[in-house]
Amino acid sequence: MAETETLSAKEPETGTGGERPIPDDAIAIIPVRQLVMFPGMVVPVTLGRPRSVAAAQDAVRSERQIGILAQRDGSVDEPGEIDLYRIGTIANIVRYLTGKDGTHHVVSQGEQRFRVVEFLDGWPFLVARIERIAQPEGEAETPEIQARFINLKRQALEALELLPQVPQEMVQQIGAITDAGALADIVAAYLDLTPEQKQEVLETIDLAARIDRVSRFLAERIEVLRLSQEIGQQTRASLDKRQREVLLREQMAAIQKELGESDGKASEIEELTAAIDKAGMPKEVEEQARRELRRLERMPEAAAEYGMIRTYLDWLIELPWQLPPEAPIDLKEARRILDEDHYGLDKIKRRIIEYLAVRKLAPEGKAPILCFVGPPGVG
C-alpha cells in the first residue's frame, strides 16, 4: 500500500464541519464487504464509498471510535439499515492513509462488540445508537470455560503444526493468549471460514457457546489438514518410487550401451513396427496404431500407461484384418474325400459335387444352402 499522507485529528484531509456532534451513545458506522472484524484484531480497511470516507475522517478529526458492520450482501453499493448485520465491532483508527491513486485506507484495531439499537439521521454518513457488549466479569475463570479454553488452544496449536510454513511468531502469539474470549476471536479470525460463519461467531455472545462453535469449526479444519497431509505423503512416496525406477532404467540402458548390448526397447519397437506392416490393417486403424506406437516409443517403460499401450497394440496386430485366401475348387479331390469319409450315400455325394461345380463356375453368384436330413450316424 503506497502511503502519501497520514491524517490525524488535527489534520483531516477534507473538512466535514458544520454537522451537529454525534451523541455520546452513538457512533459512526463503516459498512464493509466480505469482512468480519473481531475485537483485538488489527485490520486494514479500504474505503471506497464517500459516506465511509466522511465517517472515517470525522472520527479522526473528533478522535472518536468507529463501528465496523458487515454487509449481508456484498453486492449492495449503498447499504442501508436492512443491508447490515446488527452486531459489529467498535474499532480505533490507528492510521488513516491515502494512496497515490486517491484511494483511502484506515488501519483499525477492534476493541469491543456492540449491538445497534437504532440508526440516526442527520449526518452525511451512517450513525447508529449502540449498546456495548461487555464480557461478564469472572465468566472466563469458571472451570467449564477454562476446560474449553485449554482444548481450543490445543486444537489451534495442532492446526498450526499441520499448516505449511507457519511463522513462529503466530505460534508464540497463540501460546501466549490467556483470555478465553480473545483466543476464540483470534482463532475465528484466522480460520478459513465464510463471512457468514465468522458473523455467527461474532454474534455468539455467550462465551462457552462461542468457544464450542469455534472448536467445531477448528476440528473440521484439522481433519481436512490431516487428510491433505496423508494424501501429500502418499503422493510423494509414489513419485519417489517412480522416479527411482526411471533412474534405474536409465542407468541400465547406459550400462547396456557401454557393454555393446542391444537396447531391448528399441528391438521391441522394431518388432511392433514390422508386425503392423504385415497385419494388413485398414488405413484408419493403421494410423491409430502408428500413433500409439510413437507414444510408446517416447514413454519410459516404468510409466503406468506403457503396459496398457503395449497390450492394445498386440491386440490390434492379432486381429484378423484380412480373410484367408480361398483354395481353388478341385472336383476330383472333393469326390475322393467324400468317398473316403462316407460309405454309400451316392445321391448325397452327387448333390455336393453339383453344388461345388456351380460354385467353381460362378464363384460370385448366390448359391442355395444344402440341407441333409437322415437318421443319426449317417454323417
Side-chain angles (χ1 to χ4, degrees), residues 68-117:
I68 304 295
L69 278 183
Q71 293 184 207
R72 299 179 185 274
D73 183 0
S75 62
V76 178
D77 290 330
E78 293 297 334
E81 298 181 25
I82 61 173
D83 302 312
L84 300 174
Y85 289 103
R86 290 290 168 162
I87 291 181
T89 300
I90 299 172
N92 297 309
I93 296 180
V94 180
R95 299 189 72 183
Y96 190 116
L97 310 170
T98 56
K100 293 181 179 179
D101 56 354
T103 56
H104 299 258
H105 312 272
V106 292
V107 179
S108 53
Q109 182 176 18
E111 182 181 280
Q112 187 181 19
R113 285 172 170 80
F114 74 89
R115 180 183 289 106
V116 173
V117 177

Side-chain angles (χ1 to χ4, degrees), residues 21-41:
I22 298 175
D24 292 338
D25 61 346
I27 198 170
I29 300 295
I30 294 182
V32 291
R33 295 184 175 100
Q34 304 297 317
L35 171 66
V36 176
M37 175 180 281
F38 287 90
M41 301 301 298

Side-chain angles (χ1 to χ4, degrees), residues 35-341:
L35 171 66
V36 176
M37 175 180 281
F38 287 90
M41 301 301 298
V42 177
V43 179
V45 179
T46 300
L47 307 177
R49 305 181 181 101
R51 290 202 300 175
S52 298
V53 173
Q57 291 177 354
D58 181 82
V60 170
R61 186 178 59 255
S62 59
E63 298 184 352
R64 291 177 61 96
Q65 295 174 315
I66 57 173
I68 304 295
L69 278 183
Q71 293 184 207
R72 299 179 185 274
D73 183 0
S75 62
V76 178
D77 290 330
E78 293 297 334
E81 298 181 25
I82 61 173
D83 302 312
L84 300 174
Y85 289 103
R86 290 290 168 162
I87 291 181
T89 300
I90 299 172
N92 297 309
I93 296 180
V94 180
R95 299 189 72 183
Y96 190 116
L97 310 170
T98 56
K100 293 181 179 179
D101 56 354
T103 56
H104 299 258
H105 312 272
V106 292
V107 179
S108 53
Q109 182 176 18
E111 182 181 280
Q112 187 181 19
R113 285 172 170 80
F114 74 89
R115 180 183 289 106
V116 173
V117 177
E118 63 173 334
F119 283 92
L120 306 176
D121 295 327
W123 286 269
F125 45 82
L126 290 173
V127 175
R129 182 170 283 112
I130 65 168
E131 173 192 0
R132 293 174 179 263
I133 303 174
Q135 181 175 303
E137 191 172 339
E139 181 185 15
E141 303 301 326
T142 62
E144 293 81 5
I145 297 298
Q146 286 299 307
R148 289 177 167 87
F149 169 69
I150 293 171
N151 179 65
L152 182 60
K153 179 177 283 192
R154 178 190 58 78
Q155 287 181 303
L157 294 175
E158 182 181 357
L160 292 177
E161 290 179 0
L162 293 172
L163 287 169
Q165 300 177 347
V166 173
Q168 188 62 29
E169 293 78 8
M170 183 176 292
V171 179
Q172 295 173 354
Q173 180 186 7
I174 295 294
I177 295 176
T178 57
D179 182 80
L183 179 63
D185 288 341
I186 193 172
V187 171
Y190 284 131
L191 262 180
D192 185 18
L193 302 177
T194 64
E196 291 76 17
Q197 290 173 324
K198 291 188 177 184
Q199 184 67 30
E200 288 179 16
V201 175
L202 185 68
E203 293 183 0
T204 306
I205 308 303
D206 182 74
L207 184 55
R210 190 195 318 163
I211 295 175
D212 289 343
R213 188 180 295 255
V214 175
S215 181
R216 285 195 299 272
F217 287 140
L218 189 54
E220 294 174 1
R221 184 59 178 165
I222 288 174
E223 187 63 26
V224 172
L225 289 172
R226 284 176 181 166
L227 291 174
S228 177
Q229 190 177 68
E230 291 176 7
I231 293 171
Q233 290 174 350
Q234 293 172 1
T235 303
R236 282 194 298 272
S238 175
L239 288 175
D240 292 343
K241 182 180 178 182
R242 187 174 300 175
Q243 290 170 353
R244 184 170 178 270
E245 291 177 354
V246 171
L247 179 61
L248 289 175
R249 290 185 183 280
E250 290 177 353
Q251 292 175 346
M252 184 184 299
I255 292 171
Q256 289 177 342
K257 186 176 180 180
E258 290 294 331
L259 295 176
E261 298 178 1
S262 60
D263 188 352
K265 183 178 179 181
S267 301
E268 184 180 14
I269 297 298
E270 291 178 4
E271 292 175 3
L272 289 172
T273 303
I276 291 174
D277 293 336
K278 297 177 182 177
M281 303 176 184
K283 182 179 178 183
E284 296 82 1
V285 179
E286 184 176 348
E287 290 177 355
Q288 178 64 25
R290 296 192 184 279
R291 191 157 45 243
E292 295 296 330
L293 182 62
R294 287 192 296 271
R295 284 186 61 201
L296 190 72
E297 188 175 5
R298 294 191 301 267
M299 189 177 298
E301 296 181 15
E305 293 184 54
Y306 188 90
M308 188 187 305
I309 296 176
R310 175 59 200 267
T311 302
Y312 176 62
L313 289 174
D314 288 340
W315 177 74
L316 285 178
I317 291 170
E318 292 174 4
L319 285 177
W321 296 106
Q322 295 178 339
L323 294 174
E326 294 187 3
I329 299 175
D330 188 340
L331 298 179
K332 291 182 179 180
E333 181 64 16
R335 181 69 192 200
R336 185 190 68 76
I337 293 173
L338 288 172
D339 290 338
E340 183 178 322
D341 293 345

